[in-house]
């Protein structure tokens, strides 16, 4: 008997609907994360050996990050009506980043002092060793002058071949202003860069189909290498950190969204695919191109997105900010070191510097914590050995919090600039205007006027003209 001839009253699962659900990237990533956790828990050695799957996926995406940031920022600046608009957007974004980073650190500081997850451990400093820590955590860290000088690349091209985001931003901003000031001479280059970015986004869409494989490998490695039992030893620190990050997202970022006429939960549903990819890979870098496209689709103008979101990846790491305060005070508590309020505030001031530039690479928060401890005399760097084993279980929360924070920041700055179509944003977040990547061929093969080109994104500022 065929499916159409089923007896009356028989309930059958519509295969077409199941296939459509499995086609969604977030469903594939969710299944991959669960399978990875199962493999890591049942066959730890096999799970630990799957680490190259996650590393390979992240490496594939990372090779496109610098050129995508360059193209987006350059075209965004070249499309602005005047240079003052660029400076205004950048200034508002930086002020917002500093305020929210400080708020995140203060919340983490309050929670770790109230919960006191490290009290009672009574760890002997003489028993600690830096052996086994990553080399980056034990090397001398740069001061403020070295930090600023490191932003300047050796050559124009080397900024695009390195691993740091800040040099890419510097070169992109300078090049964008150069095109903006060149008039007709820079017009053709600006259009070429826009079309080149379309090719890059097409390639990224292809690579993102491998996201479930990367998420599977990363999760299997995490559980297989560290084991679920590791969490029991420092469950209070891990649990309090996750709850603090959740509080920051729901309360602080939720308030920011409300003040800008939007709601947080619909926004989280809108970026659920990106959140699951970040959960699986513990890195925000793989979803940067998709977040740019989705924020433009949600009504934020392309220039504001192109300036604010990449800058947020270096200057607005809310999850890392919470981790730095909670991690450093936890280590002090575990070693029986009493930190006065003045000392803790001094650490907070240092963290405002060390948290910058720790872009969304897995483990960058741990290195930033090492930089903080090496810059202050209160807690020895060797104490990092106490939390090295569980750092991976907190890296997901760091990355998720930072991703949501940067998305909210971009929408907020766009609204303050009058570059957010609020009606469209509300309709998109309600699901009335589904996100669908625009096919690239028409944008590459035809020379269309920007005003006549249909696009799912809102860009009130015409392309460079």
């Amino acid at each position: 008997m065929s499916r159409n001839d089923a007896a009356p009253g028989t309930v059958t699962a519509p295969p077409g609907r199941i296939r459509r659900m499995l086609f969604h990237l977030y469903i594939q990533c969710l299944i991959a994360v669960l399978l990875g956790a199962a493999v890591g828990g049942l066959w730890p050695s096999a799970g630990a050996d799957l680490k190259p799957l996650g590393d390979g996926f992240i490496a594939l995406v990372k090779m496109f990050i610098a050129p995508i940031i360059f193209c987006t920022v350059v075209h965004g600046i070249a499309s602005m009506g005047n240079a003052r608009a660029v400076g205004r957007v950048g200034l508002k974004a930086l002020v917002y980043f500093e305020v929210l980073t400080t708020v995140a650190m203060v919340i983490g500081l309050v929670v770790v002092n109230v919960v006191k997850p490290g009290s009672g451990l009574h760890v002997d400093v003489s028993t600690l060793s830096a052996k086994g820590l990553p080399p980056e955590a034990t090397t001398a860290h740069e001061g403020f002058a070295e930090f600023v000088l490191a932003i300047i690349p050796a050559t124009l091209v080397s900024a695009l071949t390195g691993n740091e985001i800040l040099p890419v931003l510097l070169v992109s901003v300078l090049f964008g202003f150069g095109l903006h000031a060149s008039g007709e001479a820079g017009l053709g280059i600006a259009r070429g860069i826009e079309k080149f970015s379309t090719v890059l986004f097409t390639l990224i869409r292809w690579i993102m189909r491998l996201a479930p494989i990367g998420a599977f490998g990363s999760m299997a490695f995490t559980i297989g290498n560290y084991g679920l039992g590791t969490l029991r030893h420092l469950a209070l620190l891990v649990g309090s950190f996750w709850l603090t990050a959740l509080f920051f997202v729901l309360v602080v970022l939720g308030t920011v969204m409300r003040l800008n006429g939007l709601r947080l939960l619909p926004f989280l549903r809108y970026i659920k695919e990106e959140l699951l990819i970040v959960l699986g890979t513990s890195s925000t870098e793989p979803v940067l191109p998709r977040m740019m496209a989705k924020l433009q689709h949600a009504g934020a103008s392309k220039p504001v997105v192109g300036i604010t979101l990449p800058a947020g990846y270096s200057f607005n790491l809310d999850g890392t900010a919470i981790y730095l305060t909670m991690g450093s005070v936890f280590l002090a508590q575990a070693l029986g070191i009493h930190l006065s309020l003045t000392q803790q505030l001094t650490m907070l001031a240092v963290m405002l510097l060390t948290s910058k530039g720790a872009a969304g690479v897995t483990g960058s928060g741990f290195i930033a914590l090492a930089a903080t401890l090496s810059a202050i005399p209160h807690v020895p760097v060797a104490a990092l050995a106490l939390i090295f084993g569980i750092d991976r279980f907190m890296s997901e929360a760091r990355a998720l919090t930072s991703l949501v924070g940067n998305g909210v920041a971009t929408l907020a700055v766009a609204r303050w600039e009058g570059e957010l179509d609020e009606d469209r944003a509300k309709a998109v977040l309600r699901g009335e205007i589904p996100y669908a990547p625009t096919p690239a061929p028409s944008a590459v093969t035809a020379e269309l006027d920007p005003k006549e080109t249909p696009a799912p994104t809102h860009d009130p500022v015409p392309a460079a003209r």
Side-chain angles (χ1 to χ4, degrees), residues 58-398:
I58 293 176
L60 276 174
V61 177
K62 281 186 64 178
M63 70 178 180
F64 289 100
I65 294 299
I68 282 178
I69 291 177
F70 176 80
C71 293
T72 307
V73 174
V74 168
H75 182 259
I77 293 176
S79 301
M80 284 285 192
N82 54 69
R84 288 186 178 181
V86 179
R88 192 171 60 244
V89 170
L91 179 61
K92 288 181 179 179
L94 289 177
V95 171
Y96 174 93
F97 295 159
E98 288 304 313
V99 171
L100 265 289
T101 299
T102 304
V103 170
M105 288 183 174
V106 170
I107 291 175
L109 205 59
V110 171
V111 171
V112 75
N113 278 284
V114 171
V115 179
K116 298 183 184 299
S119 296
L121 289 180
H122 305 296
V123 177
D124 186 355
V125 179
S126 62
T127 64
L128 298 175
S129 172
K131 185 179 180 180
L133 294 178
E136 297 88 349
T138 55
T139 54
H141 292 276
E142 58 194 15
F144 179 76
E146 290 79 7
F147 171 79
V148 174
L149 290 175
I151 299 176
I152 306 174
T155 66
L156 188 71
V157 178
S158 64
L160 303 180
T161 59
N163 295 319
E164 300 293 333
I165 288 182
L166 291 179
V168 181
L169 286 174
L170 175 63
V171 170
S172 303
V173 169
L174 292 176
F175 200 84
F177 276 118
L179 288 182
H180 190 278
S182 299
E184 289 295 325
L187 181 60
I189 298 177
R191 291 187 181 276
I193 288 176
E194 181 184 15
K195 293 183 177 181
F196 181 59
S197 68
T198 304
V199 176
L200 292 176
F201 275 98
T202 300
L203 295 174
I204 281 292
R205 284 201 298 273
W206 293 350
I207 292 175
M208 290 309 295
R209 295 174 184 174
L210 302 176
I213 298 176
F216 169 77
S218 294
M219 187 57 65
F221 164 75
T222 299
I223 303 301
N225 193 58
Y226 300 117
L228 291 171
T230 309
L231 286 175
R232 288 197 294 269
H233 298 287
L234 296 168
L236 189 56
L237 172 62
V238 175
S240 58
F241 175 70
W242 272 86
L243 290 176
T244 303
L246 184 63
F247 172 84
F248 178 83
V249 169
L250 295 179
V251 177
V252 178
L253 297 182
T255 301
V256 173
M257 289 288 280
R258 282 284 186 182
L259 292 176
N260 287 281
L262 302 173
R263 295 172 56 207
L264 179 67
L265 293 182
F267 177 68
L268 296 180
R269 285 196 296 269
Y270 178 59
I271 61 170
K272 57 183 178 291
E273 292 182 356
E274 290 69 34
L275 292 174
L276 281 169
I277 293 171
V278 170
L279 177 64
T281 60
S282 297
S283 174
T284 56
E285 281 197 339
V287 298
L288 174 59
R290 288 176 60 92
M291 285 294 293
M292 285 182 169
K294 279 199 166 183
L295 289 169
Q296 291 174 44
H297 177 71
S301 71
K302 187 173 183 179
V304 173
V305 172
I307 294 171
T308 306
L309 190 63
Y313 265 56
S314 286
F315 292 98
N316 189 42
L317 301 173
D318 298 325
T320 299
I322 298 172
Y323 171 79
L324 290 178
T325 50
M326 295 191 69
S328 57
V329 176
F330 166 82
L331 294 177
Q333 293 172 351
L335 298 176
I337 300 174
H338 173 71
L339 295 177
S340 65
L341 179 61
T342 302
Q343 290 174 322
Q344 292 189 34
L345 292 177
T346 302
M347 290 175 62
L348 190 147
V350 173
M351 291 169 192
L352 286 174
L353 173 63
T354 55
S355 64
K356 308 309 177 190
V361 182
T362 304
S364 61
F366 186 79
I367 305 305
L369 179 58
T372 301
L373 297 182
S374 65
I376 53 179
H378 312 310
V379 182
V381 176
L384 287 170
L386 295 174
I387 62 172
F388 179 56
I390 62 162
D391 176 75
R392 179 74 186 206
F393 293 103
M394 293 186 282
S395 65
E396 286 90 352
R398 292 198 301 262

Side-chain angles (χ1 to χ4, degrees), residues 437-458:
T438 305
S442 61
V444 177
T445 58
E447 182 74 28
L448 300 178
D449 185 273
K451 294 182 179 179
E452 298 174 357
T453 305
T457 58
H458 168 69

